[in-house]
């Protein structure tokens, strides 16, 4: 069953709907996310299950995987990010165009998980800002779907001016991203 | 012709192509810097270690029972084999005899996960050669296997299944029903998957003679498992050093001849059929056994007592505490145990000094050893063949980087 | 299937190398031979070349560290004759502060990454290795992670301080 898209509030007449730009853009963005799967380990296999026939991420308008960061708007980090991989992840994030969202899937991406070791980055939020965290080691496909739905909620309700706001620029600056 | 034309012909120029560490075609994160002559690969230089998680160091700080979760995350496509391998290593060290019934139950779990492992690898070979359908189609059987694991232990992928000394709990009635349903449904599905690819002209043209390796070179590079068998060497740990009563089973070790992608695909495909036959045999053998209930060895010093005992008896509580805190006595010694993992000989070299944690634990990870042959296998091949070769080798990043 | 006994192998090694074979024992089902460091490569080459023993497959190798021993660093090699299903483990120890061993890459190309791994984890050098550099860890890492004195946990963690965990 695919997701039902709610009708927007606004002034409606025959053949037209007048609503605020924010709402229209939010709706469009929400239902056409292009995720970039940054799958490194075990969670990546569960992501494959999420994409495959049984769970089918395509039902939520996020079917088109974009392997190029330039054309993606959702970065899904799945799996352990080691310190060797950290700079690569950051570079991928920096290459993505605004607006962009980040989903940290699994315990490793969130906090380093059971790998409290010298070689593992203890959570990707040390190098890039994260919007939604999905717990689990690895999370079930339903959980990953739930994470994507949470992202969709953020996307729909985000103000169109957020990416230019001083708060957002400050957030990026705190990660040293220009 | 004047002399200036000769000056224009320069030395051949090569392009450097950087594949990875994050690239859709690499199936995990490894980097390959390739020197290309047009479409042809002149030289490939792999860099690995992008998800190095320090398993061996971590294992030196954990009590024996807590090492199972680490082994899960090594070859995460077939975690139960890794779990069982570790349990058997620790059991060998402690000298624990496992009842026949438990050994057969373990065989069922291991063969199920071998099927799951090969399904991923083969369907991804399909995807890389342009057939997405097969992947979407066979993944539903993989989901069925996950459901069985879920019924057995509560987890899908990183199962942490079983314990040192046996299994955590007996198979439930529902689990048996699910296994029977899988055995009924999978042959048809697999057959259809094979119909799609095995005699498919495009698939054959793409995979035959793609990334071949001779038996000699494969042995020199330390190949084991399906990749070695595809090259024509019938080495299988299940036959050579039987563990968990594999000597009681009757199965064929499929081998190939050319060691190319097609052979690797076919070896894996046939192994799935063999695994199904082994599971059926195990179920028949279980029916014939007098023992219908045991699911662990009677070793209270290593095997966690039932929760009921823990809550209601003093002895149970003490054993529970001791095992969880890693205070049980493990003998001193050095032991090596290997199992036939999804990718080959998965070995555990364990040195124990009698303390609460292993003194040294080295994993023989088949991927790590055979992936070094990759530059040799793709030399002179097309770039697109290099991708197919990589997916047919089934390199699992977690196992590769430890 | 197996027609090579441990006794035969030990006898052959003793005849060939004499006092270079320090000890030999059966550890569980595995024949383990400790060899003096300077002849370890010769022993392995002999096992590989000998027509009867024919240990043609390098199963694995890894470094060892026993800080309490006088000879604290060591290497472990496991060879396999797949035809007769005969396995042997060779161990060697050294007291050097910067241990170095002979490379096996000229016998088996598979030794290449395993030796790099031993270098990465323990800092062992291998003479004659084609590319002696770190393989799993970052090049910038200081120290040798699998030596016993190396701390497991990330020293820069801020969230796991004593205040929260009472350690």
């Amino acid at each position: 069953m695919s997701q039902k898209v709610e009708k927007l509030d606004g002034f409606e007449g025959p053949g037209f709907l007048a609503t605020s730009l924010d709402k229209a853009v939010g709706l469009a963005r929400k239902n056409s996310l292009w995720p970039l799967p940054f799958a490194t380990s075990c969670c990546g296999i569960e992501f494959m299950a999420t994409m495959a026939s049984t769970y089918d991420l395509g039902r939520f308008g996020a079917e088109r995987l974009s392997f190029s960061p330039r054309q993606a708007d959702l970065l899904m980090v799945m799996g352990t990010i080691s310190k060797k991989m950290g700079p690569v992840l950051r570079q991928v994030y920096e290459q993505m165009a605004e607006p962009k969202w980040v989903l940290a899937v699994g315990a490793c991406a969130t906090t380093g998980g059971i790998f409290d070791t010298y070689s593992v980055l203890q959570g990707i939020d040390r190098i890039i800002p994260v919007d939604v965290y999905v717990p689990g080691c690895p999370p079930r496909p339903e959980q990953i779907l739930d994470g994507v739905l949470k992202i969709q909620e953020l996307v729909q309700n985000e103000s169109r001016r957020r990416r230019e706001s001083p708060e957002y620029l400050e957030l990026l600056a705190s990660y040293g991203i220009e | 012709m004047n002399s200036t034309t000769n000056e224009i012909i320069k030395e051949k120029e090569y392009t450097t192509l950087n594949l990875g560490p994050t690239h859709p075609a690499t199936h995990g994160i490894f980097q390959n810097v390739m020197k290309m002559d047009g479409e042809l690969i002149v030289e490939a230089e792999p860099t690995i270690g992008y998800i190095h998680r320090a398993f061996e160091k971590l294992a030196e700080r954990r009590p024996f029972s807590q090492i199972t979760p680490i082994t899960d995350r090594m070859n995460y496509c077939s975690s139960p084999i890794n779990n069982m391998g570790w349990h058997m290593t620790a059991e060998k060290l402690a000298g624990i005899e496992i009842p026949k019934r438990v050994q057969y139950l373990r065989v069922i779990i291991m063969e199920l996960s071998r099927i799951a492992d090969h399904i991923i690898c083969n369907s991804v070979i399909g995807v890389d050669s342009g057939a997405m359908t097969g992947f979407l189609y066979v993944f539903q059987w993989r989901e069925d296997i996950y459901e069985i694991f879920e019924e057995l232990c509560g987890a899908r992928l990183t199962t942490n299944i079983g314990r040192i000394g046996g299994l955590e709990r007996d198979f439930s009635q529902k689990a048996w029903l699910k296994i029977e349903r899988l055995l009924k449904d999978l042959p048809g599905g697999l057959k259809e998957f094979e119909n799609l690819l095995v005699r498919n002209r495009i698939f054959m043209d793409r995979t035959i003679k793609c990334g071949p390796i001779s038996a000699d070179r494969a042995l020199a590079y330390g190949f084991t498992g399906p990749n070695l068998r595809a090259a024509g060497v019938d080495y299988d740990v299940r036959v050579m050093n039987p563990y968990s009563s594999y000597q009681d089973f009757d199965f064929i070790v499929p081998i190939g001849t050319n060691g190319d992608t097609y052979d690797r695909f076919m070896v894996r495909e046939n192994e799935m059929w063999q695994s199904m036959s082994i599971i059926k045999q195990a179920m028949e053998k279980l029916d014939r056994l007098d023992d219908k209930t045991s699911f662990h060895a009677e070793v209270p010093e290593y095997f966690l007592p039932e929760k009921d005992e823990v809550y209601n008896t003093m002895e149970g509580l003490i054993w529970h505490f001791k095992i969880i805190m890693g205070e049980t006595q493990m003998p001193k010694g050095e032991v090596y145990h290997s199992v036939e993992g999804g990718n080959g000989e998965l070995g555990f070299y364990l040195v124990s000094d009698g303390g609460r944690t292993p003194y040294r634990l080295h994993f023989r990870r088949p991927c790590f050893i055979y992936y070094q042959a990759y530059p040799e296998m793709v030399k002179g091949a097309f770039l697109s063949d290099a991708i197919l070769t990589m997916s047919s080798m089934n390199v699992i990043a977690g196992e590769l980087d430890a | 299937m197996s027609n090579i006994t441990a006794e035969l192998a030990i006898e052959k090694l003793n005849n060939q190398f004499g006092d270079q074979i320090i000890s030999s024992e059966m550890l569980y089902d595995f024949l383990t031979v400790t060899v003096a460091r300077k002849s370890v490569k010769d022993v392995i080459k002999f096992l590989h070349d000998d027509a009867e023993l024919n240990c043609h497959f390098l199963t694995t190798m890894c470094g060892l560290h026993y800080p309490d021993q006088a000879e604290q660093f060591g290497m472990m090699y496991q060879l396999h004759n797949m035809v007769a299903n005969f396995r042997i483990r060779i161990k060697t120890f050294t007291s050097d502060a910067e241990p170095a061993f002979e490379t096996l890459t000229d016998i088996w190309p598979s030794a290449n990454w395993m030796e790099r791994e031993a270098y990465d984890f323990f800092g062992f050098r291998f003479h004659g290795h084609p590319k002696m550099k770190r393989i799993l860890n970052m090049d910038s890492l200081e120290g040798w992670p699998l030596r016993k004195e190396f701390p497991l946990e990330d020293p820069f963690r801020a969230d796991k301080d004593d205040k929260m965990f009472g350690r």
Side-chain angles (χ1 to χ4, degrees):
Chain A
M1 201 188 81
S2 60
Q3 196 186 18
K4 201 173 152 206
V5 178
E6 293 290 325
K7 201 180 74 181
L8 289 175
D9 296 336
F11 180 72
E12 202 180 350
F16 79 95
L17 170 77
T19 183
S20 71
L21 185 59
D22 259 10
K23 279 184 187 160
V25 170
L27 181 78
R29 277 179 180 169
K30 172 194 168 192
N31 292 301
S32 59
L33 283 174
W34 282 20
L36 164 63
F38 197 89
T40 59
S41 53
C42 334
C43 295
I45 304 290
E46 281 299 56
F47 176 72
M48 277 166 84
T50 315
M51 286 307 297
S53 37
T54 316
Y55 294 97
D56 195 10
L57 187 61
R59 292 177 296 163
F60 304 97
E63 193 169 25
R64 201 281 185 186
L65 294 185
S66 168
F67 288 101
S68 155
R70 301 268 184 210
Q71 288 143 12
D73 36 30
L74 168 61
L75 177 62
M76 299 176 77
V77 183
M78 294 164 285
T80 319
I81 302 297
S82 69
K83 286 180 182 162
K84 197 170 177 178
M85 197 65 184
V88 181
L89 174 66
R90 196 187 154 101
Q91 207 176 10
V92 166
Y93 178 78
E94 281 173 359
Q95 283 177 15
M96 288 169 65
E98 293 283 9
K100 54 192 173 187
W101 293 270
V102 179
L103 177 68
V105 176
C108 286
T110 312
T111 66
I114 64 168
F115 301 107
D116 184 6
T117 62
Y118 60 89
S119 63
V120 175
L121 190 70
Q122 303 297 312
I124 58 163
D125 50 8
R126 300 189 150 223
I127 49 169
I128 55 171
V130 178
D131 293 282
V132 172
Y133 299 89
V134 180
C137 188
R140 295 180 56 91
E142 288 97 329
Q143 279 174 282
I144 300 180
L145 288 178
D146 187 54
V148 175
L149 291 182
K150 289 274 185 304
I151 287 274
Q152 286 191 333
E153 223 167 272
L154 284 179
V155 173
Q156 183 170 27
N157 298 322
E158 186 178 304
S159 144
R160 226 171 41 78
R161 299 226 175 263
R162 181 184 168 232
R163 303 282 158 172
E164 288 128 43
S165 68
E167 290 84 13
Y168 184 70
L169 295 177
E170 202 180 307
L171 174 77
L172 286 189
S174 72
Y175 284 96
I177 298 168
E178 302 273 299
Chain B
M1 190 195 270
N2 58 38
S3 60
T4 49
T5 39
N6 283 340
E7 285 161 24
I8 295 167
I9 301 166
K10 284 188 201 151
E11 257 183 66
K12 207 165 196 180
E13 274 191 8
Y14 295 117
T15 333
T16 306
L17 183 75
N18 183 19
L19 198 67
T22 164
H23 189 274
T26 54
H27 305 297
I29 40 176
F30 0 95
Q31 187 181 21
N32 273 296
V33 180
M34 297 191 176
K35 205 163 132 190
M36 308 287 299
D37 176 12
E39 272 283 281
L40 295 170
I41 297 165
V42 181
E43 224 176 74
E45 172 68 40
T47 310
I48 63 167
Y50 285 103
I51 63 162
H52 174 54
R53 298 184 276 192
F55 287 152
E56 292 181 9
K57 186 82 182 171
L58 207 54
E60 286 176 14
R61 304 294 167 90
R62 288 179 159 230
F64 284 77
S65 57
Q66 291 183 16
I67 289 172
T68 327
I70 306 178
T71 61
D72 269 339
R73 284 151 185 85
M74 235 165 15
N75 183 347
Y76 34 73
C77 292
S78 52
S79 326
I81 302 184
N82 300 19
N83 299 158
M84 301 285 155
W86 163 244
H87 295 324
M88 282 184 254
T89 313
E91 282 155 13
K92 201 171 183 178
L93 178 76
I96 301 172
E97 270 304 316
I98 299 295
K100 252 321 187 219
R101 181 165 192 271
V102 184
Q103 297 194 359
Y104 291 152
L105 292 178
R106 280 184 171 177
V107 166
I108 293 181
I109 298 174
M110 283 190 281
E111 292 307 319
L112 281 174
S113 67
R114 193 180 315 282
I115 295 175
D117 184 277
H118 290 353
I119 281 183
I120 285 205
C121 178
N122 274 358
S123 62
V124 166
I125 296 177
V127 171
D128 281 349
S129 58
M132 188 80 183
T133 330
F135 165 80
L136 292 174
Y137 193 70
V138 292
F139 246 64
Q140 52 178 310
W141 316 117
R142 206 182 131 78
E143 284 297 329
D144 284 356
I145 297 174
Y146 277 161
E147 273 179 28
I148 296 170
F149 289 158
E150 209 170 3
E151 189 60 39
L152 296 179
C153 68
R156 285 160 51 90
L157 185 70
T158 47
T159 48
N160 199 0
I161 206 165
R163 286 180 187 157
I164 296 170
L167 295 172
E168 177 208 357
R169 62 186 110 163
D170 201 357
F171 282 28
S172 65
Q173 199 54 44
K174 210 168 165 189
W176 285 119
L177 286 176
K178 282 187 172 175
I179 293 172
E180 271 161 26
R181 206 189 73 197
L182 179 84
L183 287 178
K184 204 163 99 265
D185 293 353
L186 181 59
L190 209 53
K191 196 86 219 144
E192 216 155 330
F193 178 65
E194 284 179 3
N195 285 346
L196 180 72
L197 294 176
V198 171
R199 304 300 295 171
N200 181 329
R201 189 75 245 163
I202 304 166
F203 183 73
M204 287 170 85
D205 281 352
R206 281 288 269 119
T207 53
I208 292 175
K209 289 189 184 150
C210 164
I213 189 157
S214 69
D216 266 358
R217 292 306 286 167
L219 284 171
Y221 269 116
F223 274 52
T224 43
N227 295 344
L228 179 64
R229 290 194 282 275
V233 183
D234 61 341
Y235 174 65
D236 189 322
V237 186
R238 290 177 292 175
V239 178
M240 189 80 92
N241 298 88
Y243 51 91
S244 200
S245 289
Y246 265 109
Q247 68 276 13
D248 299 356
F249 295 91
D250 193 16
F251 60 98
I252 296 166
V253 178
I255 59 165
T257 43
N258 302 323
D260 56 11
T261 302
Y262 187 73
D263 281 7
R264 285 191 281 270
F265 175 84
M266 287 310 289
V267 164
R268 286 204 170 84
E269 207 58 47
N270 284 316
E271 273 182 22
M272 281 195 254
W273 291 102
Q274 293 303 321
S275 294
M276 275 188 264
S277 135
I278 294 173
I279 296 171
K280 276 184 201 142
Q281 290 175 43
M283 287 164 80
E284 281 164 22
K285 282 182 202 302
L286 282 169
D287 277 343
R288 283 204 296 275
L289 276 183
D290 296 330
D291 178 7
K292 298 274 183 225
T293 50
S294 67
F295 58 93
H296 62 89
E298 290 305 325
V299 277
E301 60 267 43
Y302 300 111
F303 190 84
L304 277 177
E306 298 249 349
K307 277 281 175 283
D308 188 39
E309 266 176 70
V310 178
Y311 293 142
N312 297 316
T313 68
M314 188 52 115
E315 211 178 30
L317 182 66
I318 290 170
W319 279 127
H320 183 91
F321 182 79
K322 283 186 88 167
I323 293 168
I324 293 292
M325 301 308 287
E327 300 299 331
T328 48
Q329 205 67 43
M330 271 285 179
K332 278 186 189 181
E334 259 181 64
V335 52
Y336 176 81
H337 183 75
S338 56
V339 294
E340 180 70 27
N343 289 330
E345 177 173 344
L346 176 73
F348 298 83
Y349 170 66
L350 168 65
V351 182
S352 163
D353 64 345
R356 63 192 289 265
T357 63
Y359 190 77
R360 173 93 171 88
L361 180 59
H362 171 70
F363 302 108
R364 186 211 188 265
R365 292 135 23 226
C367 280
F368 175 72
I369 295 170
Y370 69 60
Y371 185 52
Q372 350 182 11
Y374 184 67
E376 189 176 305
M377 288 163 80
V378 300
K379 203 170 189 170
F382 287 113
L383 180 63
S384 52
D385 288 353
I387 304 297
L388 262 179
T389 307
M390 182 183 284
S391 56
S392 72
M393 281 168 89
N394 198 17
V395 185
I396 307 289
E399 190 176 88
L400 181 79
D401 292 346
Chain C
M1 193 157 57
S2 174
N3 52 7
I4 303 174
T5 57
E7 289 76 29
L8 175 82
I10 295 169
E11 194 192 314
K12 278 201 159 197
L13 285 175
N14 276 332
N15 286 344
Q16 188 75 19
F17 294 100
D19 62 341
Q20 295 297 307
I21 307 293
I22 295 165
S23 70
S24 56
E25 54 191 326
M26 285 300 283
L27 294 173
Y28 291 82
D29 50 354
F30 222 109
L31 173 63
T32 306
V33 180
T34 310
V35 180
R37 195 213 0 183
K38 68 175 192 292
S39 42
V40 64
K41 184 161 184 187
D42 295 333
V43 172
I44 289 173
K45 213 168 168 50
F46 172 75
L47 287 165
H48 175 262
D49 295 341
D50 188 84
E52 195 174 4
L53 295 175
N54 186 25
C55 292
H56 62 91
F57 190 76
L58 176 68
T59 306
T60 187
M61 69 163 87
C62 72
L64 302 168
H65 184 204
Y66 294 91
D68 301 335
Q69 286 180 9
E71 300 195 308
Q72 56 170 330
F73 295 112
M75 277 299 287
M76 182 279 290
Y77 303 91
Q78 280 186 188
L79 314 182
H80 192 185
N81 173 351
M82 284 180 181
V83 183
N85 193 17
F86 166 72
R87 287 173 188 261
I88 185 167
R89 182 185 296 143
I90 308 287
K91 288 208 289 189
T92 181
F93 290 95
T94 170
S95 54
D96 295 359
E98 281 187 9
F101 301 90
E102 294 287 313
T103 182
L104 298 184
T105 42
D106 48 342
I107 309 178
W108 290 286
S110 66
N112 187 331
W113 282 14
M114 291 192 251
E115 281 171 1
R116 273 176 73 182
E117 195 189 27
Y119 168 73
D120 193 355
F121 283 159
F122 292 92
F124 299 166
R125 303 291 196 285
F126 290 87
H127 295 309
H129 189 282
K131 190 177 181 183
M132 200 81 264
K133 62 176 283 215
R134 284 190 187 273
I135 182 160
L136 295 175
N137 286 301
M138 286 179 295
D139 292 329
S140 58
L141 184 77
E142 281 173 23
W144 310 107
L146 271 181
R147 291 191 183 184
K148 293 286 177 190
E149 69 272 9
F150 194 90
L152 168 70
E153 291 180 8
D154 177 11
F156 304 108
R157 271 196 89 139
D159 55 333
K160 266 196 175 177
D161 57 359
D162 293 349
K163 201 163 66 224
M164 290 171 90
F165 283 81
R167 280 185 285 176

